Amino acid sequence: MMMTEPHDDLHPDTLAVHAAMERSQYGENSEALFLTSGYVQPDAATAARRFGGEEEGYTYGRLGNPTVSSMEMRLAAMEGTEAAIATSTGMSAILLMCMALLKAGDHVVCSHSMFGSTIKLIASEFGKFGVQSTFVSQTDVAQWKAAVRPNTRLLFAETPTNPLTDVCDIRALADIAHEAGALLAVDNCFCTPALQRPVLFGADLIVHSGTKYLDGQGRVMAGALCGSRRLVSEVLLPVMRSAGMTLAPFNAWVVLKGLETLGIRMEAQSARALALAQWLQAQPQVARVFYPALASHAQHELAMAQQSGKGGAVLSFELKAADPDEARKRAFHVLDNSRTISLCTNLGDVKSLISHPASTSHGRLTEAQRQVAGVSQGMVRLAVGLEHVADLQADLARGLGTL
Ligand SMILES: *Cc1c(COP(=O)(O)O)cnc(C)c1O
């Protein structure tokens, strides 16, 4: 873990390519990959100072690695935060955050449409250790405000959500959190810093699953938390040292290189997603399309203001059907007729992916929980990649046209 230097004079696109470039004595132009678990110390006294935290220097792979540090510094520069800490997965970033910030008797407020494993982790696992949680509407700021208690330490939001792309008002939630003496964490997985920098709206911690768009080509799992120097080095890092949800250097290197193309990928994938969303809206078999860049989206204006005028690469749509059974059958038909688009519940790949949330990502929820989350049997989610839009349309048309 190393700290970022201020890069006030450079644009995010430039930072994505050049930030945190530390060359070895060989002068390599592409970032080196340091695969090592240990570090040879120059002498015993230096080793003692490094282990004692009195001197900077690598001691052991769980505590730091030059490749991992580069990835952390580059991501922090792009998010506009002072520092970042990388983790093995997105979920382990959330685990680290909760372990570091919460103790028995503390209270967390989250949206009830957050990532399923996040809800399970906070409500069930941390519930076991005496952490209280309240789940509220993604979009109703009054519900967030009303849920705050004297022991509330953390508000945790994700915007836009999966699969409905509901958008929350980051600035409004930051104000509620800070008034209560709590922190606001934002899961920025769907937009990435290329489209949305939550710190500009007052968020204290940014959560990432590097598995998604930061890698961007579906190769590795990774995660990260971005925040102030104090939060990262004094609150998060000590827990990481004991708990060890460390990111592997190889995975850090893949993400580090992925960050270089993040901006153009998010732009190109957002453009394709918008074209598909508009096309889907015009299809007679489709009841509704959920995508932030459509004027029909419930929080369209807020989304455009928070997300650099872009919708991101994830959209979902609902098929017309007489009842839930027929809706599910129709959704399966569309999935099973896609050839170019992969049937895969992941997202954040340059390959377009299609999924049926009600039977996969939201399959562990009860029917009542699914209804609260707005995930119906006729809903199909698309994570749009980099293929030509005409090919994606033709792929979807094959299923839609034979319903
Ligand atoms: C995938 C995802 C996560 C979890 O990340 P992993 O890398 O799979 O552990 C967290 N939040 C959101 C919004 C996600 O899409």
Side-chain angles (χ1 to χ4, degrees), residues 89-91 94 115 118 158 187 189-190 209 211-212 221-222 347:
T89 63
M91 286 321 300
I94 300 172
F115 189 64
T118 302
E158 178 185 315
D187 185 329
C189 180
F190 272 48
S209 167
T211 316
K212 311 294 168 55
M221 302 209 67
L347 60 100

Side-chain angles (χ1 to χ4, degrees), residues 114-363:
M114 290 195 88
F115 189 64
S117 297
T118 302
I119 294 177
K120 290 260 178 209
L121 178 69
I122 292 175
S124 307
E125 307 306 333
F126 277 89
K128 253 176 8 199
F129 300 124
V131 171
Q132 304 160 16
S133 50
T134 307
F135 293 87
V136 298
S137 153
Q138 168 80 358
T139 52
D140 184 352
V141 174
Q143 279 193 30
W144 288 80
K145 206 174 167 83
V148 170
R149 303 174 189 167
N151 58 339
T152 302
R153 296 279 168 269
L154 179 68
L155 272 64
F156 187 17
E158 178 185 315
T159 184
T161 57
N162 174 31
L164 273 108
T165 70
D166 281 340
V167 171
C168 68
D169 186 336
I170 300 173
R171 170 70 67 195
L173 299 189
D175 289 346
I176 294 170
H178 298 156
E179 241 169 68
L183 298 181
L184 173 67
V186 174
D187 185 329
N188 200 23
C189 180
F190 272 48
C191 276
T192 81
L195 303 188
Q196 172 172 278
R197 288 196 284 164
V199 78
L200 300 180
F201 304 102
D204 302 287
L205 267 175
I206 321 303
V207 176
H208 275 291
S209 167
T211 316
K212 311 294 168 55
Y213 296 102
L214 304 189
D215 165 11
Q217 294 182 60
R219 298 163 293 194
V220 299
M221 302 209 67
L225 296 167
C226 304
S228 70
R229 193 162 297 174
R230 190 196 70 79
L231 263 180
V232 170
S233 61
E234 293 173 26
V235 180
L236 300 172
L237 188 59
V239 178
M240 164 70 93
R241 283 196 166 151
S242 312
M245 49 288 266
T246 312
L247 180 62
F250 177 77
N251 291 7
W253 182 82
V254 171
V255 172
L256 180 66
K257 300 304 284 179
L259 289 175
E260 295 181 344
T261 55
L262 181 66
I264 54 167
R265 280 189 282 110
M266 291 310 289
E267 207 173 301
Q269 290 177 235
S270 292
R272 284 158 175 75
L274 176 59
L276 267 188
Q278 287 166 337
W279 177 81
L280 280 164
Q281 246 182 350
Q283 302 311 302
Q285 304 85 353
V286 173
R288 223 179 134 185
V289 182
F290 301 88
Y291 185 63
L294 290 178
S296 59
H297 189 276
Q299 300 93 36
H300 174 65
E301 272 168 39
L302 172 64
M304 293 303 94
Q306 268 181 188
Q307 303 177 190
S308 318
K310 304 233 161 46
V314 177
L315 65 93
S316 62
F317 58 96
E318 229 165 30
L319 293 164
K320 287 181 189 160
D323 56 60
D325 279 349
E326 193 198 15
R328 186 184 174 97
K329 243 193 255 161
R330 290 185 154 219
F332 278 23
H333 179 83
V334 172
L335 262 60
D336 290 338
N337 276 280
S338 59
R339 294 179 201 154
T340 306
I341 306 175
S342 313
L343 180 46
C344 181
T345 51
N346 195 12
L347 60 100
D349 205 320
V350 291
K351 294 180 171 64
S352 289
L353 312 174
I354 193 165
S355 68
H356 181 246
S359 61
T360 56
S361 55
H362 293 67

Side-chain angles (χ1 to χ4, degrees), residues 20-49:
M21 178 73 208
E22 245 184 293
R23 292 200 170 87
S24 77
Q25 71 271 33
Y26 300 116
E28 67 281 355
N29 194 40
S30 172
E31 292 75 357
L33 165 55
F34 293 94
L35 283 178
T36 183
S37 49
Y39 302 88
V40 178
Q41 304 298 313
D43 53 68
T46 305
R49 283 195 301 277

